[in-house]
Amino acid sequence: MANRKIGVMVESFRLGVRQGLVKAREVGADGVQVYVTGGDVSPEGLTESGRREFRKLLADNRLTLSAVCADYGKGFLDANRNDETVPKSKACVDLALELGTNIITTHIGRLPDDENDPRYRAAFDAVSDLADYAASRDAFFATETGPESPEHLRAFLEKVASPGIKVNYDPANFVMRDFDQLGGVEVLGPWIVHTHAKDGLRGQGKEVALGDGDVDFPEYLARLEAIGYDGFLTIEREVGPDPMADIVKAVKFLRSM
């Protein structure tokens, strides 16, 4: 990963998509991830001309679209709600491919420990459907890590057993919940197609600027390299009074290793 690809979650700039793309270029990022669940950049909000314009903005700023985020904030634990969320998520898969990426990330919700729990079954049915749909289009539906242990998530992924189900690995989410941030790379390695570069304090549920928390980035990056991961490290900064400064710091920090 000597020539690692560094991305930024556009929304972390808090400037809107257009200005966020410009800022991503200015801070030296190679790519971006963008939410596609509402507003101008969404299946229902982005016209054909708007899609062409978005692709042109990426090209003009010399950026790659590392992934899109199709997180509607509801997860997939409610079977009744899934009747709405699953079709919307499929539309996000279609949009992602039109915009230039085949990686679609989301949160599926904290999986219950009991596989007989109706919420587990609801998540399994919905994610299986979405994974198969993504696979049919040569795309990946990637769940973000964190709410459950790496081992519990792996068991779920093995149960889904679709080439379309993958993982968006976020070490900070594991750290903040006191799970194994490093061992999880080996546990989930076969499914990792995208990562977030984020930091946090162990067991406190508190995100901090990258480099200021308990994520062991040198070892984390070494473990990603060991499993052959060569995808994006996408910086996500969800809190803090000066996200621009934190993102600039994060890019320099990752480039330095």
Side-chain angles (χ1 to χ4, degrees):
M1 293 179 67
N3 297 315
R4 61 179 57 95
K5 295 177 284 190
I6 296 176
V8 181
M9 178 74 79
V10 169
E11 286 73 19
S12 292
F13 290 111
R14 305 175 202 169
L15 295 171
V17 173
R18 181 182 292 271
Q19 281 302 109
L21 293 177
V22 172
K23 288 299 181 183
R25 180 199 66 209
E26 290 178 356
V27 303
D30 304 298
V32 291
Q33 182 180 11
V34 62
Y35 271 82
V36 292
T37 52
D40 293 337
V41 184
S42 63
E44 63 276 7
L46 207 55
T47 63
E48 287 300 317
S49 62
R51 297 173 193 214
R52 289 193 297 272
E53 180 185 7
F54 184 87
R55 292 192 297 268
K56 185 176 185 301
L57 283 170
L58 287 172
D60 288 347
N61 287 287
R62 301 182 298 280
L63 295 167
T64 297
L65 186 62
S66 69
V68 301
C69 183
D71 183 4
Y72 284 94
K74 300 174 181 178
F76 296 95
L77 304 182
D78 185 333
N80 292 324
R81 185 176 285 165
N82 289 345
D83 291 340
E84 175 186 1
T85 309
V86 168
K88 284 186 174 182
S89 299
K90 288 180 179 179
C92 290
V93 172
D94 297 337
L95 178 60
L97 292 168
E98 287 191 49
L99 297 183
T101 184
N102 67 344
I103 299 175
I104 300 90
T105 74
T106 193
H107 288 82
I108 62 176
R110 187 192 179 284
L111 294 168
D113 294 331
D114 183 1
E115 293 184 10
N116 294 315
D117 188 311
R119 295 172 299 162
Y120 188 101
R121 172 53 60 179
F124 175 78
D125 290 344
V127 172
S128 295
D129 186 5
L130 286 164
D132 287 345
Y133 183 76
S136 74
R137 302 219 57 202
D138 294 322
F140 302 116
F141 193 71
T143 178
E144 187 165 331
T145 56
E148 57 280 308
S149 71
E151 293 78 11
H152 190 40
L153 179 56
R154 176 173 179 140
F156 178 81
L157 299 172
E158 290 177 333
K159 189 176 178 66
V160 171
S162 168
I165 185 64
K166 296 295 180 181
V167 163
N168 175 42
Y169 198 97
D170 189 322
N173 287 349
F174 278 146
V175 161
M176 291 187 288
R177 292 169 176 84
D178 209 18
F179 291 129
D180 186 353
Q181 53 164 313
L182 300 176
V185 174
E186 285 77 30
V187 172
L188 297 170
W191 290 272
I192 298 173
V193 294
H194 193 260
T195 70
H196 279 167
K198 192 170 73 180
D199 212 342
L201 300 180
R202 185 176 303 282
Q204 297 185 35
K206 182 179 180 181
E207 180 192 330
V208 295
L210 198 149
D212 292 345
D214 292 316
V215 174
D216 183 346
F217 274 97
E219 181 62 21
Y220 170 59
L221 296 178
R223 295 205 183 195
L224 286 175
E225 184 173 3
I227 65 167
Y229 179 75
D230 61 356
F232 271 87
L233 303 167
T234 297
I235 297 161
E236 182 181 32
R237 187 66 172 126
E238 297 185 280
V239 299
D242 192 350
M244 177 63 72
D246 291 340
I247 292 168
V248 169
K249 174 184 175 181
V251 171
K252 291 180 179 178
F253 181 80
L254 292 172
R255 295 282 188 213
S256 72
M257 285 185 283

